[in-house]
Amino acid sequence: TQLLEQSPQFLSIQEGENLTVYCNSSSVFSSLQWYRQEPGEGPVLLVTVVTGGEVKKLKRLTFQFGDARKDSSLHITAAQPGDTGLYLCAGASSSGSARQLTFGSGTQLTVLP
Amino acid sequence: DTAVSQTPKYLVTQMGNDKSIKCEQNLGHDTMYWYKQDSKKFLKIMFSYNNKELIINETVPNRFSPKSPDKAHLNLHINSLELGDSAVYFCASRLTSNGELFFGEGSRLTVL
């Protein structure tokens, strides 16, 4: 079983601060995704990274895929209350004819006004 | 229009009962999933169906039985409910060729 560990598990910061969330595994993934989940809703895809070392930016969010494709990070600049939510990384691997996503343990982010 | 819809959104029932959760997607996707999210927010895959065929069946008690009448529907039936079955169950779908998963809003099951 491939495991994805996220850290920190909980993060509470003030509006305007920067933060980084980490997603680590001992397994290699063909691609890695980040999702955000708000209370009472399902996770929503933020980004997919495919190439080792790849960096993608989505406004104030910066995503990086590790060179060995085993880890990833999400950096948020000048966090806002609207960034509050559960952030989940998910690694994709091929399993026979099906591609399976393994989700990380999650990081609950709270941004205080 | 809701892309992935699940019913019911909330379900409270007694131990030992049998219940079903329904899922429908109108995105034309060929793969559908059931995930279980526990109280610690860990999201674990239970089943995956591709074109009505069971592809992934993780270690799940055989009290859980998925049924896919067509590509747009994947229902989950649970027999003899136990306290530990309490969780939020998410249906999701995607195109096999595309990595993005689209999730439903979840069905919160509480077993008393």
Side-chain angles (χ1 to χ4, degrees):
Chain A
T1 304
Q2 295 169 313
L3 292 175
L4 277 168
E5 294 290 333
Q6 286 185 235
S7 60
Q9 189 177 357
F10 297 96
L11 188 54
S12 182
I13 61 171
Q14 292 291 126
E15 182 176 0
E17 292 183 5
N18 302 332
L19 66 111
T20 303
V21 176
Y22 299 93
C23 173
N24 295 295
S25 175
S26 57
S27 303
V28 176
F29 293 100
S30 56
S31 65
L32 195 134
Q33 299 178 331
W34 284 92
Y35 290 79
R36 180 169 67 208
Q37 183 180 9
E38 298 186 19
E41 297 181 9
V44 176
L45 180 69
L46 295 174
V47 79
T48 301
V49 285
V50 178
T51 308
E54 181 177 0
V55 176
K56 276 192 176 177
K57 291 194 175 184
L58 188 67
K59 296 182 181 178
R60 293 175 294 99
L61 278 60
T62 301
F63 304 85
Q64 184 162 9
F65 201 12
D67 291 341
R69 289 186 287 128
K70 292 182 179 182
D71 55 87
S72 180
S73 63
L74 157 59
H75 183 79
I76 302 180
T77 305
Q80 298 177 0
D83 295 327
T84 294
L86 177 69
Y87 288 81
L88 296 160
C89 63
S93 62
S94 295
S95 174
S97 61
R99 288 182 129 249
Q100 183 174 345
L101 274 182
T102 300
F103 279 84
S105 44
T107 295
Q108 181 64 52
L109 171 66
T110 303
V111 182
L112 303 169
Chain B
D1 283 345
T2 304
V4 182
S5 59
Q6 300 177 223
T7 53
K9 192 172 173 67
Y10 299 97
L11 189 52
V12 181
T13 188
Q14 299 283 339
M15 273 177 59
N17 284 349
D18 303 338
K19 290 293 177 187
S20 293
I21 306 172
K22 295 186 175 181
C23 179
E24 176 182 3
Q25 54 95 4
N26 62 6
L27 297 166
H29 290 169
D30 56 1
T31 306
M32 295 185 72
Y33 302 82
W34 276 108
Y35 281 86
K36 179 181 180 180
Q37 188 170 49
D38 60 24
S39 57
K40 295 184 178 178
K41 305 296 185 185
F42 183 63
L43 203 58
K44 185 175 179 183
I45 190 168
M46 299 174 69
F47 301 101
S48 170
Y49 267 74
N50 179 265
N51 286 320
K52 295 170 40 179
E53 199 175 317
L54 181 64
I55 300 297
I56 297 172
N57 183 357
E58 291 296 311
T59 307
V60 174
N62 57 16
R63 298 181 294 103
F64 290 79
S65 53
K67 283 218 170 84
S68 181
D70 55 58
K71 285 199 313 183
H73 295 84
L74 181 61
N75 304 323
L76 183 65
H77 188 76
I78 315 169
N79 288 328
S80 303
L81 279 157
E82 300 178 357
L83 293 177
D85 297 333
S86 295
V88 182
Y89 291 85
F90 284 98
C91 177
S93 72
R94 71 175 182 185
L95 276 174
T96 306
S97 58
N98 184 323
E100 180 175 1
L101 268 178
F102 289 80
F103 284 87
E105 291 187 328
S107 297
R108 181 176 291 278
L109 171 65
T110 303
V111 182
L112 303 175

